[in-house]
Amino acid sequence: MEGSLIQTAYVVVTVLAALMAGFSGTVLLLRAQWIVLALNDYGVPRSWWTWLGLAKAVGAVGLLVGLFVPVVGVPAGVGLVLYFLGAAVTVARARWYSHIPFPPVYAAPVVGALALGYAV
């Protein structure tokens, strides 16, 4: 019984993490006005935007693939955690302290997925 609960939690948290990272990557790739304003405020070069959006989108797909092929999901998860850590540093360096909580909110379910994947 306990094993099936952990397995269910793993799948739910992983899908949530993939949806959140996928959303974040999509709004960047589509150049949503609110994200463009933020990236300009943070001083992120425009030439990086597509690559950053693709990194999040690929990480999201990697998490989903990782449900079936863990050797793909683990690096995808680690990559996303590092990405969002870098985002938090970027926000802090830009002195937008009120925005610092956003990257960890996106990273939290990825960390949860990695931890639950280890427990499965």
Side-chain angles (χ1 to χ4, degrees), residues 2-113:
E2 182 179 327
S4 65
L5 286 176
I6 292 174
Q7 178 69 31
T8 301
Y10 167 61
V11 171
V12 169
V13 171
T14 300
V15 170
L16 175 65
L19 287 172
M20 289 176 68
F23 168 78
S24 184
T26 299
V27 296
L28 179 50
L29 291 171
L30 294 177
R31 304 295 193 261
Q33 189 61 32
W34 59 273
I35 198 72
V36 166
L37 292 173
L39 290 175
N40 281 324
D41 288 342
Y42 305 153
V44 177
R46 186 177 291 267
S47 62
W48 294 10
W49 295 0
T50 298
W51 295 109
L52 294 173
L54 286 172
K56 290 188 271 191
V58 168
V61 171
L63 286 176
L64 294 175
V65 171
L67 289 170
F68 306 98
V69 185
V71 72
V72 172
V74 171
V78 169
L80 284 169
V81 169
L82 292 173
Y83 177 98
F84 291 121
L85 177 63
V89 169
T90 298
V91 172
R93 290 187 69 208
R95 300 192 194 302
W96 278 85
Y97 301 118
S98 64
H99 292 194
I100 290 175
F102 295 112
V105 164
Y106 281 90
V110 179
V111 171

